[in-house]
Amino acid sequence: MTREPGVEDATRRTRLANERTYLAWWRTGLASLAVCVGVGRLVPELIGATTWPYVIVGAGYGLLGLAFIFVAYSRTRQVERALDEGRFAPFADTLSLALVLAGLVLGALTILLVVLVD
């Protein structure tokens, strides 16, 4: 099988880009887990506030962090399979929307904590 010039290098670059993206998803997941601990445990103790609202919002960040780590794995596998088969693996609109909605809800809840909870 004869390959066009540069195709093999393009595939290597794409696989390396996929690996970097995998690590970026992981970093985001770990950051969300750190925010989970900060919001859910540290902030209410530091400011002497009612604990339960912070625990709920912190747990939300924890769930989002786990979702990012899961997406890291599943998306990387999806892209690798597509590369092996010579096709493109688009990012699912539903997953993108779910992550956006989770971020918007958690952002709004965090703002409410800052503004309303003593």
Side-chain angles (χ1 to χ4, degrees):
M1 179 167 117
T2 305
R3 291 184 182 246
E4 291 183 41
V7 169
E8 190 171 312
D9 285 342
T11 300
R12 286 182 186 149
R13 284 192 306 274
T14 302
R15 288 187 191 279
L16 290 172
N18 191 36
E19 184 178 333
R20 289 189 302 274
T21 302
Y22 171 75
L23 295 173
W25 281 103
W26 259 94
R27 283 189 301 274
T28 304
L30 292 175
S32 291
L33 292 172
V35 171
C36 166
V37 173
V39 170
R41 291 288 178 205
L42 299 177
V43 171
E45 190 171 314
L46 289 172
I47 65 173
T50 305
T51 304
W52 70 266
Y54 290 89
V55 170
I56 290 172
V57 174
Y61 280 106
L63 291 172
L64 184 61
L66 294 176
F68 280 130
I69 292 169
F70 175 76
V71 169
Y73 173 77
S74 62
R75 179 71 182 148
T76 298
R77 294 304 320 139
Q78 180 185 29
V79 170
E80 287 295 323
R81 278 192 301 274
L83 286 170
D84 289 341
E85 297 167 5
R87 60 182 178 79
F88 177 70
F91 191 68
D93 286 342
T94 53
L95 178 58
S96 178
L97 180 60
L99 292 174
V100 165
L101 291 175
L104 290 173
V105 167
L106 285 171
L109 289 174
T110 303
I111 291 167
L112 288 175
L113 283 178
V114 169
V115 172
L116 299 177
V117 178
D118 290 330

